[in-house]
Amino acid sequence: MGHANGHRRDTVIDVGKPMNFTGGLEFSSLTYTVTKKKKVDGNWLSQEVDLLHRITGYAPKGCITAVMGPSGAGKSTFLDGLAGRIASGSLKGRVSLDGMEMSPSLIKRTSAYIMQDDRLFPMLTVYETLMFAADFRLGEMSRDDKKQRVEKLIEQLGLSFSRNTYIGDEGSRGVSGGERRRVSIGVDIIHGPSLLFLDEPTSGLDSTSAHSVIEKVHDIARSGSTVILTIHQPSSRIQLLLDHLIILARGQLMYQGSPKDVALHLGRMGSKMPKGENAIEYLIDVIQEYDQSELGVEALADFALTGMKPPPLVNEDMSVSTVPPSPAPSRHTRHQPEVSGDKGRSGKRLHLQTGTQDRDFDHSVRSPWNQSRSWSASQSGIVQTLSFTPSRQQRTDRKMETPMSASPGYYTYSKEILPATPTPHSSDYTVNENDYLTPNIAPTVGYQHLGPKFANSFFSETWVLMRRNFVNIRRTPELFLSRLVVLTVMGIMMATMFKHPSRDMQGITNLLSFFIFTVCLFFFSSNDAVPAFIQERSIFVRETSHNAYRASSYTIAGLITYLPFLGLQAGVYAGIVWFPLKLRGPFHYFLLVLYMSLLSTNSFVIFVSSVVPNYILGYAAVIAFTALFFLFCGYFLNSHDIPLYWNWMNWISTMTYPYQGLLMNQYQTNTSFGYNPASGQDVSGFDILTSLHIATDESKKWQKLLIMLGWTILYRILFYLILRFASKNQRT
C-alpha cells in the first residue's frame, strides 16, 4: 500500500486474529489425533482419527467466545485442548495469551475451568464454599481482605439472598440449580483468572436460570477476563450476550466471528436463509446437511479457511451471493485435502492426510508473507487489497505449483474466492473489546505476575483442608455416628455373649472366636469410606486441576482429621468388652491394637476407593479382599500350615497382625487357661501360642504394632500416588 512518502511499508500480520486485536487467547493449528480400532473383513485395524484438525483462531479479551456446533463437533475436546486438559504430546499446535506462547501447565495456572457438573460439598453454605475457595486460592492475603473479596463476589454473582443457604444435593434441599452453577463459577474465579473456560454452563437449567448464569459470565468478561464457553442451542436472549462465535463440525472450523455476521457468512456461502430463521441455528442445520451428504463438512471448512465457495448440495435451492464478484489476486495453488479411511455417503471423515498443506498454507501464528493491507468499506462489503513480498522458497513453491493449477485435485484462489469473504485473518471477525472493558472488580492475575505454583504453603493447605473436613463431619455426623453406634452395639453383644469365659478348652475356643470376630468387625466398619471418598474425589479433581492445593496436603489432612474419631471408636469398644470378658495383659496395648487395626484397614479401603471408578466396584473389591484376608489371617489355618505358595497372602493380610497381636497380649503368660482332657494337663497361655505357631517373645508383640503402622503408611502413600498421578481430569 502506498504512503505519503511514496515508499511501501510491509507489515507482518498475525494469522487467526483481526488487525486491531489487542489481547486475548490465540490458537494455531490445534490438532488432536487418536487411534481407534476398526473391524474390516473380520480383522481389527488401527486407524488414526482427527478429533481436532488444524484449528486456528482467537478469543478476544473482555468478551464471551462461544464454541458451538452439532453433536460430535468436538466442542468439549476443543475446550479441553485450549485449557491444557489434554495429555502432553497428544495435542499439536500452539496457544498464546496476549502474544505470549503458553504451555498447558502455564494455562492451568492462569485460568479457571468450570465443569458441566457442579462439584461442591452439599453441607457447606454459599459463603463458606467461597471462603474456603478464597483460603485456597488467595494465599497470604489477610483474612479481612479475603472476606471482602468473597462479599463482593457474592454480590457480583447475584447470590446475596442465598448467602447462608446450604449448597444441598439430591437428598437435602439447598440453593437452586442456577445459583449452584453460579457458586461453581465463583469458586473458580475467586482469584481473578485471566482465562475462564466453561463447559456447557447452561446444561440442565431452565431458560431463566440459564440466562442469569450467562449474564453473570458476561459481567465477568467485561471485567477484563477472556471467557470461552461451549453451549448447545442457546436462546435468543443468550445469543445477544455472546460476542464471538467459533462453530465446529467434525473437529474442523466452520465459522469464526461475530454472531451478527452469521447471516452474511451464509450469503457468501450461497445458502439462502429463510425469512424469520435464526441465523446461527440455520448455519448449524446447513453444516449437518453437508455432513450427511457425500461432500462432507470439508467443503465448509475450506470456505471458512480460504473463502473457496462450497459446491451446492444436490436438490437444494442455492441462491447467488449478494456480494458482487470482483477479481481476487491470484496467490498460489493448494492441494485438495486427501481423505483416507472410509467416507461413504454419510461424508464422515476419519483421518485427514494433509499432504502438502503445511507448505501451501501456513497456519502458524505469524504469517510467512510480508503483507500490507488496506480496508475500504462499500455497499458490496469490505474489499481486501494485499501486496506480498514472498520469500525465496515461497517463490519457488509458487513456480512449481502454477503449472498444476488446472489439474484435477487442485484449485486456484483467483477463480472462486468471493470478495469480502471472512477468513480467520479477516477484519470481519473483529470484536472491538475495548468498547466493553470496565474496571475489574477482582484484578486478574496475568501470566506476567505469576507467583509460586501453589498459593499457600503445605502446612497452610493442610490446616484449611482440616477445617473444611471438620465442618463437613459436623454437618454430616451420620457417617461417624453410624460407625460408633455399630461398634457400641456389637461391643455390648460381645460382652454379653462371651462374658466370664470358662476355664476349659471351650472357653479358649470362645476367646479365639471373639478375637477374630473383633478383627473382622473393625475391618468391615471402614467399608462405608468407599462411597464417601468416591463422592469427594470429583471435588478433589476439580480443585487440584488448577493447583488449589497439593495432593500430599489432602492426603495428610484426611488422615489427621479422622485420627481422633477412630481413636474414640476403638476406645468405646475396648472399654465395653474388657472387663466382662476378663481379658488380661496391658489394656493400653489392647486399645492400641484396635486403634491401629482401624487405621490400617481405613487406609486400605481409602486406597481401594481411589483406584476403582465407582462405589459399586469399590464395595465388590473391598468385600473380595475382606474374604481373602480373613481366609489367610491364621484363624482357619495357622501360618505354619498354609501352603508355601499361598503363604504370602498371610503376610499381606491386614487381619493377620491385629489378630496375632490380640492373642499375644492375652496369652503371653504361664497362667493356666483350662484343662486338656486329651493330655491330662493344664493349658497355659504359652502352650496356646505355641500350638498356633505364634511367637511368645514379648518384643514380637510390639513388632505387630509397627507392622500395622507400616501398612497404614504404605496404603496412604499408594493413595497419594494415585491422587497425584492418576486422578486427573484430562484426555490422553
Side-chain angles (χ1 to χ4, degrees), residues 424-603:
H425 31 85
S426 163
S427 68
D428 274 11
Y429 285 83
T430 299
V431 178
N432 190 6
E433 65 277 6
N434 292 327
D435 295 338
Y436 305 119
L437 295 183
T438 58
N440 194 355
I441 294 177
T444 58
V445 182
Y447 57 83
Q448 67 270 27
H449 302 299
L450 285 176
K453 184 175 181 180
F454 296 96
N456 298 289
S457 66
F458 169 81
F459 296 103
S460 297
E461 290 175 359
T462 304
W463 172 242
V464 175
L465 286 165
M466 287 173 58
R467 285 196 295 112
R468 188 174 70 176
N469 289 341
F470 280 118
V471 172
N472 280 316
I473 291 174
R474 188 175 73 249
R475 300 270 173 81
T476 55
E478 55 271 13
L479 181 61
F480 163 70
L481 289 179
S482 61
R483 299 183 189 180
L484 187 61
V485 169
V486 167
L487 290 176
T488 301
V489 172
M490 295 307 299
I492 295 173
M493 295 178 67
M494 293 296 100
T496 54
M497 286 181 62
F498 296 98
K499 67 178 180 178
H500 306 306
S502 59
R503 303 188 64 81
D504 54 18
M505 298 304 296
Q506 185 60 48
I508 296 173
T509 303
N510 291 345
L511 273 181
L512 293 178
S513 300
F514 162 76
F515 288 132
I516 191 59
F517 183 86
T518 296
V519 172
C520 291
L521 174 64
F522 275 55
F523 195 102
F524 276 112
S525 68
S526 298
N527 286 6
D528 53 6
V530 174
F533 171 74
I534 290 178
Q535 183 181 16
E536 190 174 320
R537 180 170 56 189
S538 60
I539 301 177
F540 167 83
V541 171
R542 177 182 62 80
E543 292 179 331
T544 56
S545 61
H546 291 280
N547 304 327
Y549 48 80
R550 300 166 178 83
S552 56
S553 56
Y554 178 84
T555 304
I556 297 299
L559 176 62
I560 296 176
T561 301
Y562 283 95
L563 287 179
F565 299 104
L566 296 179
L568 180 60
Q569 294 170 21
V572 168
Y573 184 86
I576 292 174
V577 302
W578 179 263
F579 295 103
L581 271 69
K582 296 183 178 180
L583 301 178
R584 66 163 305 278
F587 174 79
H588 66 272
Y589 182 85
F590 179 75
L591 177 61
L592 281 174
V593 170
L594 296 182
Y595 186 43
M596 293 307 303
S597 176
L598 280 176
L599 274 178
S600 60
T601 54
N602 182 266
S603 299

Side-chain angles (χ1 to χ4, degrees), residues 25 59-60 62-67 79 82-83 97 107 110-115 156-157 182 184-199 201 213-214 216-230 444 546:
L25 191 70
C63 302
I64 294 182
T65 297
V67 182
L79 197 71
L82 293 179
L97 179 63
I107 289 177
T110 58
S111 67
Y113 191 107
I114 288 85
M115 300 177 185
Q156 182 184 9
L157 293 173
R182 279 178 269 159
S184 295
I185 294 172
V187 165
D188 283 315
I189 68 168
I190 189 69
H191 62 299
S194 301
L195 283 169
L196 180 60
F197 299 99
L198 301 100
D199 187 15
V213 168
I214 299 301
K216 299 307 177 184
V217 172
H218 183 269
D219 294 338
I220 294 168
R222 293 296 183 261
S223 69
S225 295
T226 301
V227 178
I228 305 174
L229 57 85
T230 61
T444 58
H546 291 280

Side-chain angles (χ1 to χ4, degrees), residues 187-500:
V187 165
D188 283 315
I189 68 168
I190 189 69
H191 62 299
S194 301
L195 283 169
L196 180 60
F197 299 99
L198 301 100
D199 187 15
E200 296 284 357
T202 61
S203 177
L205 301 179
D206 60 81
S207 59
T208 302
S209 297
H211 180 264
S212 176
V213 168
I214 299 301
E215 199 172 36
K216 299 307 177 184
V217 172
H218 183 269
D219 294 338
I220 294 168
R222 293 296 183 261
S223 69
S225 295
T226 301
V227 178
I228 305 174
L229 57 85
T230 61
I231 192 167
H232 185 65
Q233 292 183 334
S235 65
S236 57
R237 291 195 302 164
I238 289 179
Q239 289 182 23
L240 295 175
L241 298 173
L242 306 179
D243 304 304
H244 189 65
L245 282 185
I246 294 176
I247 298 180
L248 305 177
R250 300 287 174 191
Q252 300 182 78
L253 182 66
M254 300 288 105
Y255 173 80
Q256 179 180 209
S258 172
K260 66 179 182 293
D261 291 334
V262 174
L264 182 62
H265 182 81
L266 284 164
R268 288 165 174 156
M269 284 172 50
S271 181
K272 184 177 181 180
M273 189 177 70
K275 186 177 181 181
E277 190 80 25
N278 183 282
I280 297 175
E281 293 178 359
Y282 185 72
L283 175 57
I284 293 177
D285 290 342
V286 171
I287 291 171
Q288 289 180 308
E289 290 176 2
Y290 270 90
D291 187 29
Q292 294 168 5
S293 71
E294 294 183 354
L295 295 173
V297 298
E298 284 75 19
L300 300 182
D302 286 339
F303 175 69
L305 180 66
T306 67
M308 171 67 69
K309 182 178 177 180
L313 292 171
V314 179
N315 298 327
E316 182 182 358
D317 182 17
M318 302 295 287
S319 65
V320 180
S321 173
T322 58
V323 182
S326 63
S330 178
R331 294 172 61 185
H332 63 284
T333 58
R334 171 181 184 271
H335 284 292
Q336 184 75 6
E338 180 181 328
V339 179
S340 67
D342 291 343
K343 178 186 174 186
R345 297 189 63 85
S346 66
K348 293 180 174 64
R349 178 179 61 84
L350 289 181
H351 180 62
L352 194 64
Q353 302 290 346
T354 56
T356 59
Q357 189 173 355
D358 288 342
R359 179 190 66 188
D360 297 327
F361 191 83
D362 191 350
H363 294 266
S364 61
V365 171
R366 293 290 178 182
S367 172
W369 303 93
N370 289 325
Q371 308 174 14
S372 66
R373 300 187 178 191
S374 65
W375 306 91
S376 61
S378 66
Q379 293 180 353
S380 61
I382 299 175
V383 181
Q384 180 177 347
T385 305
L386 303 175
S387 62
F388 299 101
T389 307
S391 64
R392 177 179 179 182
Q393 180 62 42
Q394 291 159 348
R395 290 196 297 268
T396 303
D397 291 343
R398 291 176 64 187
K399 290 178 181 179
M400 294 175 63
E401 294 168 354
T402 301
M404 304 174 66
S405 61
S407 303
Y410 294 83
Y411 53 83
T412 59
Y413 290 167
S414 59
K415 292 184 179 180
E416 284 293 322
I417 294 183
L418 300 176
T421 298
T423 64
H425 31 85
S426 163
S427 68
D428 274 11
Y429 285 83
T430 299
V431 178
N432 190 6
E433 65 277 6
N434 292 327
D435 295 338
Y436 305 119
L437 295 183
T438 58
N440 194 355
I441 294 177
T444 58
V445 182
Y447 57 83
Q448 67 270 27
H449 302 299
L450 285 176
K453 184 175 181 180
F454 296 96
N456 298 289
S457 66
F458 169 81
F459 296 103
S460 297
E461 290 175 359
T462 304
W463 172 242
V464 175
L465 286 165
M466 287 173 58
R467 285 196 295 112
R468 188 174 70 176
N469 289 341
F470 280 118
V471 172
N472 280 316
I473 291 174
R474 188 175 73 249
R475 300 270 173 81
T476 55
E478 55 271 13
L479 181 61
F480 163 70
L481 289 179
S482 61
R483 299 183 189 180
L484 187 61
V485 169
V486 167
L487 290 176
T488 301
V489 172
M490 295 307 299
I492 295 173
M493 295 178 67
M494 293 296 100
T496 54
M497 286 181 62
F498 296 98
K499 67 178 180 178
H500 306 306

